[in-house]
Amino acid sequence: MTKVLVLHSVCLVRSALAALLRCEGDFEVTTAGWRAAARQAEFLRPDVVVVDLDCPGVSDALGADAGVARLLPPSPTPLLVLARADLPGTLRRALRTQALGYVDKDGSPARLVRAIVKVAAGERFIDATLASAFMEADPMPLSPRELSVLARAAEGDSIAEIARALHLASGTVRNYMAAVTRKTGARNRIDAIRISRRAGWV
């Protein structure tokens, strides 16, 4: 039986994925939120970890300059990332995880099952739609620190809250937000968040 760990910040979504996998294949499925990811992976030693980088709060949990692998124990855990072809920023973030598999979220359950089986066997799996979208995606213009600041702003944090969370001066946070606004071609912070969400950067 293949041991699968499903990571998602929304309980209903990860529970639904777990139920689907249990019905579709010979899987022992466990779910966890981002904060419990490393602990669960270390305890369970799953054959595959399925992660969704589009879920709420993932930027905050990972940090802009961190990959999913940083949340997991040092021992190699094969990753399978769920992504969307219409969000190039999320695709680039997915590729930075150096996962073994990438599945289009618009694909069929059978495709997800096939991907898990392949990744568990140590084989690479990449949906053709995601590969094409990645090749066509524009590069993300923001630095990791700018993306960290933007991700917190997108969650509704104030300048002071961002500064405290990232151990920065408020003036430094304002400078990062000004850079984000300029680089995204936005009119203001709200517009920068909108543009970045549409691109899948946050």
Side-chain angles (χ1 to χ4, degrees):
M1 182 173 286
T2 302
K3 292 193 293 184
V4 180
L5 174 60
V6 175
L7 300 183
H8 199 288
S9 60
V10 179
C11 181
L12 282 176
V13 174
R14 61 181 185 255
S15 297
L17 274 171
L20 168 70
L21 292 175
R22 290 183 187 116
C23 290
E24 294 286 335
D26 188 23
F27 302 127
E28 178 186 327
V29 187
T30 305
T31 69
W34 290 105
R35 296 187 189 283
R39 187 172 63 252
Q40 286 280 43
E42 191 165 18
F43 174 73
L44 296 168
R45 297 294 178 186
D47 299 304
V48 180
V49 176
V50 177
V51 298
D52 183 350
L53 299 186
D54 290 335
C55 61
V58 67
S59 296
D60 184 50
L62 293 176
D65 56 350
V68 174
R70 206 165 150 185
L71 288 178
L72 302 174
S75 60
T77 306
L79 298 176
L80 176 64
V81 174
L82 306 180
R84 287 172 47 190
D86 61 343
L87 292 176
T90 302
L91 279 178
R92 289 192 178 277
R93 186 167 52 190
L95 286 165
R96 284 201 302 273
T97 67
Q98 299 181 338
L100 199 55
Y102 302 90
V103 174
D104 191 335
K105 288 166 68 172
D106 287 328
S108 68
R111 196 158 184 76
L112 173 60
V113 169
R114 188 158 66 251
I116 290 174
V117 171
K118 281 187 169 292
V119 169
E123 299 176 34
R124 180 169 288 281
F125 183 96
I126 303 175
D127 264 331
T129 52
L130 298 182
S132 299
F134 176 71
M135 295 299 292
E136 297 167 4
D138 292 329
M140 200 270 295
L142 306 179
S143 71
R145 182 56 86 180
E146 288 164 353
L147 198 55
S148 292
V149 169
L150 180 63
R152 290 201 169 261
E155 293 293 325
D157 288 2
S158 67
I159 294 294
E161 289 169 332
I162 296 170
R164 279 196 302 274
L166 299 180
H167 308 290
L168 299 170
S170 293
T172 303
V173 173
R174 289 190 186 90
N175 289 340
Y176 279 128
M177 282 307 307
V180 167
T181 302
R182 183 180 71 254
K183 288 181 177 182
T184 58
R187 297 185 301 274
N188 50 41
R189 182 166 85 165
I190 302 300
D191 195 33
I193 292 170
R194 179 188 59 78
I195 290 169
S196 299
R197 278 182 169 156
R198 188 175 60 200
W201 298 332
V202 296

